[in-house]
Every structure is written in C-alpha cells, then in structure tokens.
C-alpha cells in the first residue's frame, strides 16, 4: 500500500472534505529545503504559503536545527507548573523586551486557538476578580477568524467554521470591519478605518458595561480573505477601549513575527494591546507553540492568596523547552540577519512581480502589507480555489486561495528568482482556473 493510500486509510486531514481526495490526490512530502518542499518522487514545490503561515526561515534551517540539537541533549520537556527552565524564561524576557516592557508574563500553550482561549478567559476572569462579573461579553470584527476551539469560535465570524457548532458556542457580537475594499466613492483607506471605528464607538457606548474585550487581527484579517486595513483603526480602537474600560486583544498569531513589516503588527499604529497572542511563526514553523503576553495590571489582578483568583488554565506541553528553543533561535535570526530591513526589499520585489497580474481584467483589489500580498478574482466560477491550487502545484508552486482570494505569504528567505517563479505560476494558474472548459 502506498503512503497516500495509508494516509487516506489512517489520517483525518484538517480543514478538508475528505471525499474530495477521491479525485484530488494528496501530496506526499519527503523533505524540505529552504523555501522548497520536495515530494517522494523528487519534484520540488515553492512553499509560497509558508506551510499555513508558520514557516519564516525555510525548511530545515541550519541555525534552528542546531539550537534544537543542543536543547535535545539537555532537556526535552518538564511540566511548567512548579518548575521552570532557561528556554522559557529567556523567551519570555526577549518577547517582553520587544514590547518595551509594556507586555510581559507570557502564558504558554501549543496552538493559536488555545492562545485565543487564554486571552478571552484572562479578560473575563480579570473583570470578575475586580468585582465586575457583568463584563463577560466579547466583540469582534465582521468576518473575523480567531481559531476553531469553542471559545475561539465564539469570536469567529465565518459561518463555514462556526455554524455547525452553534449549540456549543456563545457567539460574540460583531462590529464593522475596516477592510479597505469597502471604500465608498471618494473614500481613502483612512476614511474606511475611521468609519469602522465610528461603528465601534457607537457599539461600545451602548454595551461597554457588559463587554470584557474587543479582539482584532491587527492590519490583516487573514482567513476571511486577507482583508487589509489602515493602522488608523488600531489607534482609534485603542483609544475607545481605554475610554470605555474594555480590553483590547491583538491576535497576532498570523500577522506577528514580521509578516506585516514590523515584528508586531501593532507597532505600525504606535499602540500596544492589553493582551497579545502569538503562535505560528514564533517557533519558525518548527514546533507547536503559542503564548499570550499581558499588561502587568492584568497579571496583578490574579496575584492573591485565594487559589480561585489565580488563572487556573494549563496544557500538558506548556512552555515546552524544545519549542521555546526553536523560538529563541528564530528571534536570533531576526537580530543576526536584519530580517525586517531585508523583508522590505523582498516586499517590493513581490509588488513588482505582481504588476502583470494586476492588469488582468479579472483581478481586483491587489493589496499588500509587508510580506503578505493578495488579490481578488470576484467573477470566477465556483471551484476557483481548487482549480487554481491544482494548476499551481503542476507549476511547482504551493498556493491555496481562500475562496476567490489569491494570496502570497512566502518564507523570509525567498530570493528574486523564487518570487518571479511565484508570479509566473500565479498568472498561469489564474488563466487556467478562469477557463472552466479545461475542467
């Protein structure tokens, strides 16, 4: 039995209608090398989506590999309740320092949805500890996505993910998205941000007494189709949350770690949230790791003699030394290789490479924040994403459109030739996906 047959017989693959694999074969990957994946037959594929947005510095990165080997000979894991170790302490210190000490006391988990759950629970529990248990609701942006566990689904506004589990979910309220594609005639991106912020202001004025927190993905709402918005919205949201005593949770799980051009996306607005969630790229795409940074005033609200006032949340692999070592190696690469500076050059190359695509009559709303570039194909017939992805793979490029939105999110080591390959494959896949007679 082949590996593909064994996988279909034994593995339930994520975010997948498994019946589709009757006609859409799985791809068996044997190894990775830099920005490329290599299948069992030796064919190479440019990983243009960073393996679900996690890989920052390429597959089998020598520096991260070495740091993991060193840690393997010291300590693979120890529970973090009642114990500590150098990698988790050093990582927490470095991340706090990157916020100028505004955020600290990192709380660890393994995946992004868990980080969302932690931030939501911390916010609600904070208000309870302050005697304000009525502040127990959450508000999110229209079209938001923050994970697929039950608490995270509550602040996810994508029906495909949420509605099947409605009996389990206490849905949050939504406010207008500042998505700049919604600009009216004569409006700028800043105007759209201000209009959305006005909607948030009206909502908070009416509901702040029962609202614990607003949760946002700063600058880019990824899973809803790479909806991008101006940093002005974050500045206004921060001010409104302060005025109405509502926490601001920044979900930087996908947009943090340099994706939007700064290490934290919030930096572009000159603000800090009350909670900041990280996952995906923080370990360089090596090992499951997520965390929540919080303000000291929040930490102090849990610091008490009564056990019930503590944050009684845990995961077995919280603060795993190997995952923390991978994250430390990732941060070392940012420092050593001037990644943010060099990414500005890569981002310009990506924009230049997309110039031919944007002239296509079917393409709308080409947009970019740092190392995330996207465009929409609103007129495409149903099944566009699958047709596009299949043809791109035939061209040796891994791309997974979200509905009718095509996006590029490559590792930070892509070279000019890789970006040109990406652009050429995208144009070819676009032409084939639009011509439904070929399918």
């Amino acid at each position: 039995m082949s590996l593909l047959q064994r996988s279909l017989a034994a593995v339930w693959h994520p975010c997948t209608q498994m019946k589709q694999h009757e006609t859409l074969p799985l791809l068996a990957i044997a190894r990775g090398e830099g920005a490329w994946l290599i299948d069992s037959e030796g064919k190479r594929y440019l990983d243009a989506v960073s393996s679900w947005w996690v890989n920052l510095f390429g597959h089998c990165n020598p520096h991260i590999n070495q740091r993991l080997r060193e840690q393997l000979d010291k300590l693979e894991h120890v529970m973090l309740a009642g114990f500590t170790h150098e990698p988790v302490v050093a990582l927490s210190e470095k991340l706090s320092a990157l916020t100028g000490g505004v955020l600290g006391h990192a709380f660890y988990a393994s995946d992004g949805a868990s980080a969302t759950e932690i931030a939501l629970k911390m916010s609600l529990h904070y208000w309870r500890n302050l005697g304000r248990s009525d502040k127990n609701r959450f508000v999110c942006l229209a079209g938001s996505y923050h994970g697929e566990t039950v608490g995270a689904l509550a602040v996810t506004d994508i029906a495909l993910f949420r509605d099947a589990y409605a009996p389990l979910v206490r849905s949050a309220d939504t406010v207008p998205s500042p998505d700049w594609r919604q600009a009216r005639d004569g409006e700028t991106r800043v105007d759209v941000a201000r209009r959305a912020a006005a909607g948030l202001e009206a909502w908070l004025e009416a509901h702040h007494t029962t609202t614990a927190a607003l949760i946002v993905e700063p600058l880019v709402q990824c899973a809803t189709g790479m909806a991008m918005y101006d940093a002005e919205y974050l500045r206004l949201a921060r001010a409104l949350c302060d005025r109405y005593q509502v926490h601001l949770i920044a979900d930087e799980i996908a947009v943090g770690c340099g994706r939007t051009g700064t290490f934290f996306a919030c930096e572009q607005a000159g603000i800090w949230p009350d909670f900041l969630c990280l996952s995906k790229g923080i370990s360089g795409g090596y090992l499951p790791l997520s965390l929540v940074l919080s303000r000291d005033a929040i930490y102090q609200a849990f610091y008490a003699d009564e056990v019930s006032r503590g944050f009684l949340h845990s995961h077995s692999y919280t603060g795993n030394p190997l995952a923390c070592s991978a994250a430390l190696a990732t941060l070392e690469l940012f420092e050593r290789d001037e990644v943010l500076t060099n990414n500005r050059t890569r981002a310009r190359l990506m924009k230049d490479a997309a110039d031919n695509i944007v002239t296509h009559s079917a393409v709308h709303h080409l947009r970019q924040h740092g190392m995330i570039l996207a465009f929409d194909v609103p007129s495409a017939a149903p099944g566009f994403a699958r047709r596009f992805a299949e043809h791109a793979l035939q061209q040796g490029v891994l791309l997974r459109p979200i509905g009718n939105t095509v996006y590029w999110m490559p590792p930070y080591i892509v070279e000019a030739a890789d970006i040109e390959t990406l652009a050429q494959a995208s144009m070819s896949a676009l032409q084939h996906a639009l011509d439904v007679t070929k399918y």
Side-chain angles (χ1 to χ4, degrees):
M1 185 182 292
S2 71
L3 179 62
L4 301 184
Q5 292 172 319
R6 287 165 55 203
S7 187
L8 290 173
V11 180
W12 199 335
H13 292 264
C15 202
T16 300
Q17 171 48 264
M18 293 297 292
K19 194 174 190 300
Q20 291 183 353
H21 283 308
E22 291 179 1
T23 56
L24 178 64
L26 290 167
L27 190 61
I29 297 300
R31 60 192 180 91
E33 184 180 281
W36 296 80
L37 295 165
I38 298 132
D39 70 14
S40 55
E41 296 180 353
K43 184 174 179 180
R44 294 164 61 86
Y45 304 88
L46 180 63
D47 190 356
V49 299
S50 295
S51 292
W52 249 348
W53 319 344
V54 301
N55 191 286
L56 299 190
F57 298 112
H59 299 279
C60 295
N61 181 276
H63 181 72
I64 302 176
N65 285 0
Q66 181 59 33
R67 287 290 184 263
L68 284 173
R69 291 189 191 98
E70 293 168 0
Q71 185 59 41
L72 273 171
D73 290 332
K74 297 176 183 177
L75 176 67
E76 81 299 338
H77 184 64
V78 63
M79 62 189 291
L80 205 59
F83 297 85
T84 194
H85 51 79
E86 176 62 27
V88 77
V89 173
L91 178 58
S92 302
E93 291 171 340
K94 284 181 176 291
L95 289 171
S96 181
L98 287 172
T99 73
V102 175
L103 303 174
H105 282 103
F107 196 100
Y108 289 87
S110 300
D111 58 81
S114 294
T116 297
E117 300 264 344
I118 288 165
L120 297 175
K121 288 175 66 176
M122 277 185 175
S123 176
L124 183 146
H125 200 161
Y126 168 89
W127 294 116
R128 177 186 174 188
N129 282 353
L130 264 59
R132 302 186 64 182
S133 56
D134 54 329
K135 289 176 74 69
N136 57 34
R137 300 286 302 177
F138 297 96
V139 61
C140 59
L141 299 180
S144 61
Y145 174 91
H146 299 286
E148 294 163 33
T149 52
V150 171
L153 280 176
V155 289
T156 288
D157 186 42
I158 300 177
L160 181 65
F161 295 117
R162 185 198 60 220
D163 286 1
Y165 312 104
L168 294 172
V169 176
R170 184 191 182 203
S171 294
D173 296 288
T174 60
V175 291
S177 168
D179 178 359
W180 67 44
R181 292 174 297 180
Q182 299 174 3
R184 299 168 181 167
D185 288 345
E187 277 191 327
T188 66
R189 297 172 181 181
V190 174
D191 293 331
V192 177
R194 289 172 178 165
R195 176 158 52 85
L200 173 63
E201 181 176 15
W203 195 92
L204 287 177
E205 184 177 9
H207 302 285
H208 66 276
T209 59
T210 57
T211 302
L214 163 69
I215 182 168
V216 300
E217 278 185 285
L219 301 183
V220 187
Q221 293 178 260
C222 293
T224 196
M226 299 299 165
M228 300 186 185
Y229 61 91
D230 193 87
E232 175 73 357
Y233 183 83
L234 296 175
R235 287 188 284 271
L236 295 172
R238 174 72 277 179
L240 289 168
C241 286
D242 288 340
R243 183 196 309 174
Y244 288 106
Q245 294 186 305
V246 169
H247 289 143
L248 177 60
I249 301 172
D251 172 357
E252 296 221 9
I253 291 162
V255 300
C257 302
R259 283 291 180 196
T260 65
T262 48
F263 189 84
F264 298 113
C266 283
E267 293 178 70
Q268 294 181 45
I271 62 103
W272 293 111
D274 301 294
F275 301 93
L276 193 149
C277 305
L278 284 180
S279 189
K280 292 189 181 292
I282 189 59
S283 73
Y286 267 68
L287 290 165
L289 181 67
S290 67
L291 60 100
V292 178
L293 298 170
S294 60
R295 290 180 182 262
D296 189 61
I298 292 168
Y299 174 81
Q300 292 300 328
F302 291 83
Y303 200 84
D305 292 325
E306 302 93 338
V307 173
S308 62
R309 289 178 64 89
F311 188 60
L312 305 181
H313 182 106
S314 62
H315 296 266
S316 299
Y317 283 93
T318 291
N320 174 261
L322 290 170
C324 289
S325 294
L328 285 167
T330 297
L331 294 182
E332 289 168 357
L333 287 172
F334 272 97
E335 297 171 2
R336 187 191 76 182
D337 297 342
E338 298 184 348
V339 171
L340 296 176
T341 298
N342 291 328
N343 275 0
R344 286 195 282 273
T345 300
R346 293 187 179 93
R348 285 194 296 271
L349 290 173
M350 288 167 60
K351 177 64 166 61
D352 292 343
D355 280 348
N356 288 335
I357 296 172
V358 76
T359 61
H360 194 289
S361 60
V363 171
H364 295 263
H365 299 121
L366 181 75
R367 55 200 180 274
Q368 185 175 15
H369 261 312
M371 293 293 289
I372 307 174
L373 183 146
F375 59 86
D376 302 326
V377 190
S379 62
F384 168 80
R386 176 173 173 175
R387 295 192 299 273
F388 188 102
E390 287 180 6
H391 188 78
L393 280 178
Q394 292 172 12
Q395 305 303 304
V397 176
L398 171 57
L399 287 165
R400 287 172 60 98
I402 302 171
N404 285 14
T405 296
V406 178
Y407 70 90
W408 301 348
M409 199 185 293
Y412 302 162
I413 59 164
V414 286
E415 299 177 354
D418 300 328
I419 293 170
E420 187 58 35
T421 295
L422 171 55
Q424 291 174 0
S426 296
M427 178 60 86
S428 179
L430 175 64
Q431 297 282 20
H432 280 258
L434 288 172
D435 187 353
V436 294
T437 64
K438 294 180 180 294
Y439 292 85

